[in-house]
Structure formats: C-alpha cells, structure tokens
C-alpha cells in the first residue's frame, strides 16, 4: 500500500513539474516568469520540509514544515502582487532557460531524496555521498525524470513538429540506467543499450555541450563496474541541458533552420 501511495504522489509531482515547464515555454512577460520561479521554488521547499520531517518525525517538525511553507508563500506572493502590473508590462523574450532547468533538476533530485528516504529509511542516508547516491540511484528519480523528458518531447513534437535526434537518446538513457539494479542481466544489457544511445546522440549532436555530456556518459557507464558517481553527475548535467534545449525557443529555431 505504501509503494502504491508513493507512486501516486510521485505521478502527481511529475504532472506538476511538466505543467510548470510547459507554462515556462509560453511565458510572455516577467510576471509569468516570476510565477514559474515561485512554483519551482515552492516545490523545492515542500520537498525540503518533507525531508526534515522524515529525519525528525514529530508534531513539532510537522508544524515547522507548515510554517516554513507559509513564510515562503507570503514573503514572495505579497511583493509580487505589489509589482505584478509593472512585471506584466515588461516583455519576456527568453534568457532564463538555464536557471529554470537547474531548478527543475534540483526538484528531481529532491524528489528522489524524499521518496527514497521515506521508502528506505534514514539509515541509508548517513553522509553526503550516500545522500547524493541514493537520491539519484532511485526509481523515484529516474522514472519520473524519464516521464517528464518524454512528455516535454511529445508536447514539442505535437506543437512544432520538432524531431530532436540529438536529445531523444537522453530519454532512452534515463529509461535504462545500469546503476539501478545490481543484477548481472540488467547491468550488462543496459550498458550496451546506454552506449548505443550515446553513440546515436554523438552522431546527431551539433552542439559541443551535448557531445561532452554523451562522452562523459560513455565513460561513466563503463565505470559503473567501479563507481556510480561519474554516471550520476553526467545524468544530472544531461537533464539540465535537455530541459534548456527543449525550453529555449531560439535554440529550437536555430536547430530547425
């Protein structure tokens, strides 16, 4: 029952993040941009509050989590309403895609942290490396991430007819992470799949940033026999680039030209 409940909540979070990123693509003024930042920040605060409660479950920590979220909302919404008209009159033409992408990935990381902490217990999260590893190396990180990346890809394909062969392999890579299961069949088969997808990405990428990510993923994938950390860092970097490229209208137009 707990797993089913967690899966339902995670699915709702995926829908919310996809909706926020979709809205960010259509933002026309700085009032809309402010709300995108506010919503992504609100999600991060909610995850952090949940993490604190899971470490120290009590009525006091629950009250502190509620107060923290309330303070965040009031402290950002009140100033927004005071300047909303001015922000709405200022046209937004892009430039914040990288920051929105980083915030989205932070939320992905915190989602993996929160749900794995709830599912496994805090004994698995004893130090910084454990927090990093178990937050990324998690069903709650990889498959919500894959669902969000695929959703945005489909939405952009339907809207603009974009076929981003340079980005699509990242979705497949997120679907078959070698580090997810300590099972020989899964490990060896996913390594082959990941390396093949990286080669497809390299052949189709025109931008140096994406090529570097695919190359690091190749090295990180081969090193998963010894350490997962390079692979995990490459996945996080790939996500940031993926969201940035999908959200960036100028990049899309240059690619399609």
């Amino acid at each position: 029952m707990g797993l089913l409940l967690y899966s339902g909540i995670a699915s709702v979070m995926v829908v919310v993040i996809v909706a926020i990123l979709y809205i960010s693509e259509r933002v026309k003024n700085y009032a809309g941009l402010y709300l995108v930042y506010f919503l992504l920040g609100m999600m991060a605060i909610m995850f952090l509050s949940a993490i604190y409660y899971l470490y120290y479950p009590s009525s006091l920590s629950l009250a502190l989590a509620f107060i923290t979220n309330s303070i965040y909302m009031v402290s950002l919404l009140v100033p927004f309403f005071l300047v909303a008209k001015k922000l709405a009159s200022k046209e937004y033409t892009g430039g914040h895609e990288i920051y929105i992408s980083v915030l989205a990935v932070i939320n992905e990381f915190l989602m993996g942290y929160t749900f794995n902490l709830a599912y496994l217990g805090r004994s698995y999260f004893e130090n910084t490396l454990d927090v990093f590893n178990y937050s990324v190396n998690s069903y709650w990180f990889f498959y919500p991430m894959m669902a969000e990346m695929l959703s945005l890809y489909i939405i952009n394909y339907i809207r603009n007819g974009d076929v981003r062969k340079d980005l699509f392999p990242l979705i497949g890579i997120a679907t078959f992470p070698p580090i997810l299961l300590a099972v020989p069949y899964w490990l060896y088969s996913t390594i082959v799949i990941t390396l093949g997808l990286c080669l497809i990405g390299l052949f189709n990428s025109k931008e140096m940033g994406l090529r570097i990510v695919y190359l690091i993923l190749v090295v990180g994938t081969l090193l998963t026999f010894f350490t997962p950390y390079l692979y995990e860092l490459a996945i996080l970097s790939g996500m940031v680039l993926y969201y940035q490229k999908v959200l960036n209208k100028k990049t899309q137009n240059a690619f399609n030209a």
Side-chain angles (χ1 to χ4, degrees):
M1 185 64 182
L3 182 60
L4 185 62
L5 177 62
Y6 293 156
S7 299
I9 296 173
S11 298
V12 172
M13 295 296 181
V14 168
V15 172
V16 171
I17 292 176
V18 170
I20 294 172
L21 293 176
Y22 175 72
I23 290 170
S24 73
E25 287 187 273
R26 305 178 70 84
V27 163
K28 302 297 183 183
N29 55 57
Y30 275 83
L33 180 65
Y34 187 102
L35 288 176
V36 168
Y37 277 119
F38 170 80
L39 291 171
L40 287 172
M42 185 72 213
M43 287 195 70
I45 292 294
M46 289 174 63
F47 283 130
L48 289 170
S49 299
I51 289 168
Y52 180 77
Y53 174 76
L54 290 168
Y55 272 111
Y56 310 104
S58 67
S59 56
L60 177 60
S61 60
L62 187 62
L64 286 174
F66 177 78
I67 291 171
T68 301
N69 283 277
S70 299
I71 290 173
Y72 174 87
M73 291 181 66
V74 172
S75 63
L76 290 184
L77 282 179
V78 170
F80 169 73
F81 287 125
L82 294 175
V83 296
K85 187 174 181 180
K86 181 179 179 180
L87 290 175
S89 64
K90 189 176 179 182
E91 183 182 7
Y92 172 69
T93 57
H96 284 247
E97 292 83 8
I98 183 63
Y99 310 117
I100 294 171
S101 300
V102 169
L103 272 176
V105 173
I106 288 173
N107 273 291
E108 297 277 3
F109 179 88
L110 292 175
M111 185 188 301
Y113 189 178
T114 303
F115 284 95
N116 234 17
L117 179 61
Y119 191 64
L120 297 175
R122 64 183 184 181
S123 62
Y124 282 78
F125 297 82
E126 295 181 349
N127 54 59
T128 303
L129 282 178
D130 287 341
V131 168
F132 179 78
N133 184 43
Y134 284 109
S135 297
V136 177
N137 187 6
S138 164
Y139 299 105
W140 311 108
F141 174 81
F142 277 107
Y143 290 113
M145 173 184 71
M146 181 272 291
E148 290 165 18
M149 294 167 76
L150 182 60
S151 298
L152 287 174
Y153 189 94
I154 292 172
I155 289 170
N156 277 275
Y157 175 75
I158 293 173
R159 284 179 56 204
N160 308 315
D162 291 340
V163 180
R164 295 297 302 265
K165 294 180 181 179
D166 57 336
L167 295 177
F168 192 77
L170 287 171
I171 301 173
I173 291 168
T175 308
F176 301 102
I179 63 174
L180 196 58
L181 293 174
V183 178
Y185 177 79
W186 172 268
L187 178 63
Y188 291 110
S189 60
T190 53
I191 283 176
V192 172
I193 292 170
T194 300
L195 292 176
L197 290 169
C198 286
L199 289 176
I200 294 172
L202 281 168
F203 285 132
N204 288 282
S205 298
K206 299 178 180 179
E207 300 175 28
M208 185 57 66
L210 277 172
R211 289 180 177 177
I212 291 172
V213 166
Y214 282 122
L215 285 172
I216 297 175
L217 274 168
V218 168
V219 178
T221 299
L222 294 173
L223 288 178
T224 51
F225 292 103
F226 310 102
T227 176
Y229 298 116
L230 182 60
Y231 177 87
E232 291 167 350
L233 286 170
I235 281 289
L236 291 171
S237 301
M239 284 182 63
V240 172
L241 273 179
Y242 181 92
Y243 289 137
Q244 182 191 10
K245 303 305 178 187
V246 169
L247 298 178
N248 194 326
K249 295 177 183 178
K250 293 178 182 178
T251 301
Q252 291 177 3
N253 292 337
F255 181 88
N256 293 330

